[in-house]
Amino acid sequence: MLEFLFSFLLAYTPALAVLIFSIIILIVINIFYKILINQNDAKQIKQRTKDISKEMKEAQKAGDTARSKKLMSEMLTENNRMMKMTMKPMIVSLIVVIILLPSLATFYSDKMVVIKDGAGSVVLDGNTYSVQKADNTVSIGDTSCQIPCQTEIGKHTYKISLENSNVKVAQIVATLPFALPFLGSTFGWLGWYIICSMPLVIIIRKAMKIYM
């Protein structure tokens, strides 16, 4: 729907394109946080929760159970205040993601090739490739491999697998020089988007002086 807004990303490598997309989305989202949350109040709440946490540790060391309970109650009150403040921008952020994220999926989402009588076709990077499947061997254009496999087609690398009787072609957007625990070293568009967003959200909020 809004693909035209992000078509410029196709000039970059997929990994860089998704990184740039993540930065744009996070800046837009955090503008709403900046506008909709009173930053002075948020800063005070954040500082107060730090102070309470420090006081709780001291009370626990001193064995002052009554004070610990009082501070815990105060901590919950401050957390509830912050939660109420962030509710509205959180909803707006969710709407922004729901509207814009499908644009990225349009460029890099998995392709499901319907196989009929051992043949089908798939469009990758605007090019149409014939797909032939015989037992566990699949041919896409001039490239053949034993499913499941990882192979280059055109300018990019894809993971090819079977899903029921059809062939699934998933573009590898980013490959790390090392494997992440439980995640591996290769990522599709969504996995790479999430990995990029985790450190970026901290950096962008610090740069925009957003307190949460």
Side-chain angles (χ1 to χ4, degrees):
M1 184 172 63
L2 297 175
E3 292 82 6
F4 68 93
L5 291 175
F6 301 102
S7 58
F8 72 93
L9 293 174
L10 296 174
Y12 303 97
T13 62
L16 182 56
V18 174
L19 175 63
I20 294 170
F21 181 89
S22 302
I23 293 171
I24 293 170
I25 294 293
L26 287 170
I27 288 173
V28 171
I29 287 172
N30 282 289
I31 285 172
F32 286 109
Y33 272 92
K34 186 82 171 178
I35 295 170
L36 297 174
I37 294 177
N38 185 312
Q39 292 302 310
N40 288 329
D41 289 349
K43 186 177 181 181
Q44 289 174 8
I45 292 171
K46 190 173 182 180
Q47 183 59 51
R48 182 55 188 149
T49 54
K50 283 183 180 179
D51 293 342
I52 292 171
S53 181
K54 185 178 179 181
E55 289 175 31
M56 280 178 64
K57 287 179 182 178
E58 291 173 354
Q60 287 168 356
K61 282 182 181 179
D64 192 339
T65 307
R67 179 157 175 75
S68 291
K69 286 182 179 180
K70 184 180 178 182
L71 289 168
M72 177 63 75
S73 177
E74 191 176 343
M75 176 74 83
L76 290 172
T77 300
E78 295 296 335
N79 286 336
N80 286 335
R81 281 182 64 202
M82 181 63 82
M83 191 177 296
K84 286 178 183 178
M85 289 173 66
T86 58
M87 189 62 67
K88 190 181 290 185
M90 196 180 297
I91 292 170
V92 174
S93 300
L94 183 60
I95 293 170
V96 169
V97 171
I98 289 172
I99 291 173
L100 298 183
L101 200 59
S103 300
L104 197 62
T106 300
F107 301 141
Y108 303 114
S109 62
D110 300 346
K111 310 291 184 182
M112 191 63 67
V113 184
V114 177
I115 301 297
K116 188 175 181 180
D117 298 326
S121 63
V122 64
V123 178
L124 302 172
D125 287 331
N127 299 312
T128 302
Y129 295 87
S130 62
V131 180
Q132 304 290 328
K133 178 182 171 294
D135 297 325
N136 286 331
T137 300
V138 65
S139 299
I140 301 178
D142 298 326
T143 303
S144 297
C145 65
Q146 295 286 320
I147 296 176
C149 58
Q150 180 174 310
T151 186
E152 286 189 13
I153 303 171
K155 298 177 181 179
H156 304 297
T157 304
Y158 297 84
K159 282 183 179 179
I160 302 171
S161 58
L162 280 179
E163 193 158 304
N164 298 322
S165 59
N166 300 319
V167 175
K168 181 180 177 182
V169 182
Q171 183 173 347
I172 295 174
V173 167
T175 302
L176 297 178
F178 53 87
L180 295 177
F182 309 110
L183 299 175
S185 59
T186 58
F187 302 92
W189 71 272
L190 184 58
W192 185 237
Y193 168 78
I194 293 170
I195 287 171
C196 289
S197 296
M198 287 190 290
L200 282 173
V201 70
I202 298 170
I203 295 168
I204 289 171
R205 281 181 179 168
K206 279 192 175 183
M208 295 178 70
K209 294 182 179 179
I210 294 172
Y211 301 96
M212 290 182 62

